[in-house]
Amino acid sequence: MMLKHFRALGQVFAATHQGRILSQCGSMTLKTKHYSASTGGEDAGTAAGQTVVSERRGSVVTVAINRPEVRNAVNQETAGRLLEELQAFDNDPDLNVAVLHGKGGNFCAGYDLKMLANQKAPLKLEQDVTKGPGPMGPSRLQLSKPLIAAVSGFAVAGGLELALLADLRVVEESAVMGVFCRRFGVPLIDGGTVRLPRLIGLSRALDLIVTGRPIGAQEALAYGLANRVVPDGQALQAAVQLAEQISSFPQQCLRTDRSSAVYSCYDAQSFTQAMQYEFDHGVQVIQAEAIPGAIQFSSGAGRGGKFP
């Protein structure tokens, strides 16, 4: 198992490495529309050279990093575009769930270190995390709606941090995750040391953070880092299907419960404070969605645990 992982580690720097081409929902019959925050919304097209491309699928939007020639490593332009697209998603009342993925067989190999090494001017970073984006772009956002990461190939260093931004991670069987930047003295400053211990516990998080070792899909699933493991080439399709199911639920209730869970994990100072937050926000949903939902149930909908 570990031999397989370290072979995968070596592939990151192999000049002849050929990325798998994702099977991007070839079996799906959904109608899609190109969607771009930077060019005006729907039907903006996917012009050649765009580092981030988005497609609207009903109430779901897919956001793709489009730099396959560098395994979707993120430069400053890409970071800015990712931030724009996810902010646009969060502010769009017609969108419920976003899916983040990478074009060309890899999720994201982190920040573009070659570009960083050749940069002549000092890298300018916003010091106050409340006032500007992180180096990877959207890593400092606190989204109000669910984000799913469809992970194929490598999701390492800053790419792992982008995956941690998501609520759920759908991971392909051959995918590799890890803090690969450990070897080069590049710190985790896009939420990796904050989110990873919360997701999988401090002991397991430190194992990954201090060693920089690769972690495969099955170990990530056992850790809780991966939420679903799917065959190669199917992460995007599975993530979109999951997003559509989540989108079909009453949204005010879903977002309220999601917000309460995040608050209790990151912001609440005590159990009592977390419980009060849950009640204060949850009670507002009863009239709007709980009572209509109870009427639907009484008429026979959802009996036997049936989902939409």
Side-chain angles (χ1 to χ4, degrees):
M1 178 71 73
M2 288 304 299
L3 179 60
K4 176 182 177 183
H5 289 164
F6 280 104
R7 284 174 178 169
L9 174 62
Q11 291 174 354
V12 176
F13 299 101
T16 60
H17 173 74
Q18 297 295 321
R20 295 185 319 281
I21 302 300
L22 281 171
S23 173
Q24 296 198 7
C25 302
S27 62
M28 301 181 70
T29 58
L30 290 171
K31 293 182 179 179
T32 64
K33 293 183 178 180
H34 298 309
Y35 179 84
S36 173
S38 66
T39 51
E42 284 190 8
D43 299 320
T46 52
Q50 282 191 305
T51 60
V52 176
V53 292
S54 300
E55 288 184 353
R56 183 191 291 264
R57 303 165 182 259
S59 59
V60 173
V61 64
T62 63
V63 179
I65 305 173
N66 187 33
R67 302 187 77 214
E69 70 281 1
V70 289
R71 299 181 185 86
N72 293 320
V74 169
N75 58 12
Q76 285 185 299
E77 177 191 352
T78 309
R81 290 283 294 111
L82 284 171
L83 178 65
E84 288 176 4
E85 295 294 344
L86 290 184
Q87 285 179 325
F89 152 69
D90 210 39
N91 293 327
D92 191 326
D94 295 325
L95 292 172
N96 293 334
V97 186
V99 175
L100 179 64
H101 67 108
K103 294 277 191 179
N106 289 288
F107 180 75
C108 176
Y111 198 83
D112 191 335
L113 296 185
K114 288 184 178 179
M115 184 164 290
L116 182 63
N118 295 322
Q119 186 166 313
K120 296 180 180 179
L123 184 64
K124 294 182 179 180
L125 299 176
E126 175 55 61
Q127 303 295 310
D128 188 337
V129 299
T130 67
K131 293 183 178 179
M136 295 294 292
S139 57
R140 295 172 181 174
L141 292 180
Q142 297 183 65
L143 297 171
S144 65
K145 296 182 282 191
L147 172 67
I148 300 173
V151 178
S152 59
F154 290 99
V156 296
L160 174 61
E161 292 182 287
L162 285 181
L164 296 176
L165 174 65
D167 297 59
L168 302 171
R169 282 151 295 281
V170 178
V171 179
E172 293 184 0
E173 289 175 342
S174 66
V176 176
M177 308 170 86
V179 186
F180 283 14
C181 51
R182 177 58 52 233
R183 299 161 297 162
F184 304 111
V186 180
L188 297 172
I189 53 175
D190 281 275
T193 66
V194 178
R195 293 188 174 103
L196 191 60
R198 294 285 189 173
L199 288 175
I200 66 174
L202 180 60
S203 178
R204 286 172 167 171
L206 286 176
D207 178 15
L208 300 181
I209 290 170
V210 303
T211 68
R213 70 177 181 86
I215 178 172
Q218 291 300 328
E219 187 179 9
L221 182 65
Y223 274 19
L225 180 56
N227 300 95
R228 309 280 194 281
V229 174
V230 299
D232 289 352
Q234 295 185 21
L236 179 58
Q237 178 179 341
V240 169
Q241 290 173 342
L242 181 58
E244 289 174 334
Q245 181 186 33
I246 293 170
S247 185
S248 72
F249 298 136
Q251 290 299 298
Q252 184 182 350
C253 181
L254 183 146
R255 293 174 196 172
T256 297
D257 286 347
R258 175 186 178 276
S259 174
S260 180
V262 172
Y263 177 83
S264 69
C265 182
Y266 290 102
D267 297 317
Q269 299 300 309
S270 67
F271 173 79
T272 301
Q273 189 178 44
M275 290 290 287
Q276 192 65 57
Y277 184 97
E278 179 188 65
F279 179 81
D280 290 345
H281 292 77
V283 73
Q284 301 174 32
V285 180
I286 293 176
Q287 190 66 39
E289 291 185 348
I291 291 177
I295 294 172
Q296 289 181 357
F297 177 78
S298 297
S299 66
R303 294 293 175 86
K306 184 179 179 181
F307 275 66

